[in-house]
């Protein structure tokens, strides 16, 4: 049973369809694009002072457009869709952090925390 399952998996890895997919832009485009949401996720632990509102808005619009494209293109590119969905979520989170920091009193709270850490 397990050897048959293993053989089927190995045969699918050797298939022309998988090789064609792994050498296409439907695969490598989204793989290269994953750097954007990963960077946004990594920036969530950093000071919200570094967030650029204009860039965050631009990346939200960019990801929304490309999510639609990934859904409409035939065949559907679900890897690209997942990448841009993740980026959209990360950018909206960053946008909320920026609004909290700049307009809802987050700056004062952040400054108090920095003073407390400096006084220790």
């Amino acid at each position: 049973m397990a050897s048959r399952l293993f053989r089927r998996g190995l045969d699918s890895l050797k298939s022309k369809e998988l090789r064609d997919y792994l050498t296409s832009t439907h695969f490598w485009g989204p793989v290269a694009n994953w750097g954007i949401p990963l960077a946004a996720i990594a920036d969530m632990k950093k000071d919200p002072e570094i967030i650029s509102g204009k860039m965050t808005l631009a990346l939200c619009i960019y990801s929304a457009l490309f999510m639609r494209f990934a859904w409409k293109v035939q065949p559907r590119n679900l890897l690209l869709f997942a990448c841009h969905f993740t980026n959209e979520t990360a950018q909206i989170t960053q946008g909320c952090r920026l609004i909290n920091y700049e307009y809802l009193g987050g700056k004062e709270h952040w400054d108090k925390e920095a003073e407390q850490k400096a006084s220790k």
Side-chain angles (χ1 to χ4, degrees):
M1 176 85 166
S3 65
R4 186 171 45 173
L5 184 62
F6 179 74
R7 179 155 312 281
R8 283 174 62 200
L10 192 58
D11 289 342
S12 70
L13 287 175
K14 293 179 180 179
S15 71
K16 180 168 174 31
E17 291 84 17
L18 182 65
R19 283 194 314 266
D20 287 345
Y21 177 69
L22 290 177
T23 58
S24 73
T25 57
H26 265 258
F27 176 75
W28 288 108
V31 168
N33 236 347
W34 272 101
I36 298 170
L38 292 176
I41 291 168
D43 285 347
M44 286 182 196
K45 294 185 178 189
K46 295 181 181 174
D47 188 346
E49 184 178 27
I50 66 169
I51 300 171
S52 166
K54 290 178 183 178
M55 182 57 84
T56 300
L57 178 62
L59 285 170
C60 279
I61 293 168
Y62 162 77
S63 283
L65 291 172
F66 272 89
M67 270 195 299
R68 182 181 186 283
F69 169 79
W71 191 257
K72 293 289 186 178
V73 70
Q74 291 299 323
R76 284 194 175 136
N77 194 336
L78 297 179
L79 186 58
L80 183 65
F81 183 86
C83 173
H84 284 290
F85 182 81
T86 304
N87 189 42
E88 187 74 21
T89 305
Q91 295 303 329
I92 288 171
T93 302
Q94 290 290 68
C96 291
R97 288 182 67 218
L98 176 69
I99 290 169
N100 182 42
Y101 181 75
E102 291 290 335
Y103 304 109
L104 301 177
K107 189 182 290 188
E108 292 80 19
H109 178 70
W110 195 269
D111 291 340
K112 284 181 186 176
E113 283 186 14
E115 286 176 17
Q116 288 175 352
K117 286 181 182 177
S119 65
K120 288 183 179 181

